[in-house]
């Protein structure tokens, strides 16, 4: 997780969540098999 100060911060109107993974393609495949939907 990254936490850092930002001058003049205003809250986002959407959710941001990051998970560090070794291989993005493998992570997407595994999560898709479990029903996670990805949007571009």
């Amino acid at each position: 997780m990254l936490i850092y100060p930002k001058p003049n911060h205003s809250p986002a109107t959407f959710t941001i969540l990051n998970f560090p993974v070794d291989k993005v393609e493998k992570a997407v495949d595994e999560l898709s098999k479990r029903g996670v939907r990805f949007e571009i």
Side-chain angles (χ1 to χ4, degrees), residues 8-20:
N8 302 318
H9 170 74
S10 60
T13 58
F14 49 88
T15 302
I16 299 173
L17 185 61
N18 297 303
F19 293 98

Side-chain angles (χ1 to χ4, degrees), residues 18-31:
N18 297 303
F19 293 98
V21 297
D22 293 327
K23 298 190 181 214
V24 173
E25 294 84 3
K26 182 177 180 183
V28 170
D29 288 345
E30 291 296 322
L31 290 168

